[in-house]
Amino acid sequence: MNQRLKTIDLARGASVFIMIIVHTLWMYASTTLQSESAFGTVVHILGKGTASFLVAMGLSMALSRRQTPLLLIKRGIQLLLLAYLMNAAKFWLPIEVFNTMPEAFINAYGWQSPLSAGQLQFMVLTGDILQLAGVSLLLFGVLNIARWKTIWIAVLAIAIAVMSQFVRGQQFTLSPYISDLFFANNYQVYFPVFPWISAILTGYVLGRLYLSNQQNADYLYKVCAQLGAALLVIGGIWLAIDFKGQFGNFFHLNGGGISYLIGLNLCALAAIQFIFADKYNGPITRALLYASKHVTALYVIQWVLICWFMGALGYHTLSLWPTLCMMVLMTLLTFAVHKVYLKSKQSFIDITQKTKRTA
């Protein structure tokens, strides 16, 4: 992001820590702790902050100078490749190479070891938030959305949110999997484009408004508060009428669910700006800003570590205190591994440059 917005960075950084906590709970905590305790309920509520990360992604894209179709498509392809490499590291390695994946995890799919090639392929093709980001970038590039008027982008965001319930689970292409990336109603794809891209488009519109108003941060967060409140009301009414259809499945939301989540997270961004953004610059703030800067790498690292550690700890086995300890450990390990990765990357760059100079 060329014009830094500290609140957006803080929110995105916070989402990194929250996702580690949530994913640790999902994989390690007992089903009782997850579904029948106040702790599990609070962590699941924190997990609803996904929309904040997507709004921040869209806003960052609007502020980036790298919006040519070719660059967007290239970045989209890179994210998709990274996403499937991450899945291979998460699932294929512990199942086929390490032989450490708990049988309970395999059984959760309704399968038994050894897995067939089709079952392994199903796991490696699991659609997560990186697939959503990659496909969204491809669409931004193909549609050349940087040339669209802001109002057209806003209309597209609304249209996708409204249409979601009518296309949910439909198969519109020769490949069922590609259809699922857009319209999934199953757990091979957790974040289908419909309706989650509406959050990215909303962030893009906010970024455009910020730029068109002389990069006035106060104006931006005023719009966040106003739009967030409006979407909370609209989404709340929609959910009151049809909660099960709109928010019965968090990963496969429809218009009411995504409207409510975007509204909630926009209000949260405005609150962070008002309460925290310009008042604190201590170690917590620095950690959040670091996490925001390296969000993609940290996302990949934490998922791989969590899945690999299941070989030692099992799947859905831990009570409250061991789960809390694992949340802390996974967070520390994720950042430690990332530091090692950065140092190794820099060493490789230094060696390469030295070799070129001496050649």
Side-chain angles (χ1 to χ4, degrees), residues 13 46 50 54 98:
L46 289 174
T50 303
L54 297 175
F98 304 152

Side-chain angles (χ1 to χ4, degrees), residues 254-268:
N254 288 315
I258 195 67
S259 298
Y260 181 82
L261 278 185
I262 294 173
L264 182 65
N265 283 278
L266 289 180
C267 289

Side-chain angles (χ1 to χ4, degrees), residues 261-297:
L261 278 185
I262 294 173
L264 182 65
N265 283 278
L266 289 180
C267 289
L269 286 175
I272 292 172
Q273 169 67 13
F274 178 74
I275 299 171
F276 297 110
D278 297 320
K279 299 178 176 64
Y280 302 99
N281 290 289
I284 293 177
T285 299
R286 291 194 294 273
L288 293 175
L289 295 176
Y290 177 92
S292 176
K293 182 178 179 181
H294 302 288
V295 59
T296 302

Side-chain angles (χ1 to χ4, degrees), residues 1 21 28 98 124 127 162 167 170 180 221 280 291 335 340 349:
M1 194 188 294
I21 291 171
Y28 296 141
F98 304 152
V124 171
V162 172
V167 297
Q170 296 298 313
D180 283 343
Y221 294 113
Y280 302 99
F335 282 84
V340 171
I349 292 172

Side-chain angles (χ1 to χ4, degrees), residues 9-10 12-21 283-303 305-306 326-343:
D9 287 332
L10 290 174
R12 183 165 45 199
S15 73
V16 173
F17 288 90
I18 291 170
M19 74 183 178
I20 298 173
I21 291 171
I284 293 177
T285 299
R286 291 194 294 273
L288 293 175
L289 295 176
Y290 177 92
S292 176
K293 182 178 179 181
H294 302 288
V295 59
T296 302
L298 292 168
Y299 182 84
V300 172
I301 291 168
Q302 57 90 34
W303 254 136
L305 287 175
I306 288 171
M326 285 308 300
M327 288 175 175
V328 174
L329 178 61
M330 285 296 106
T331 302
L332 294 175
L333 278 176
T334 296
F335 282 84
V337 169
H338 185 253
K339 284 287 190 181
V340 171
Y341 161 74
L342 289 181
K343 289 182 179 179

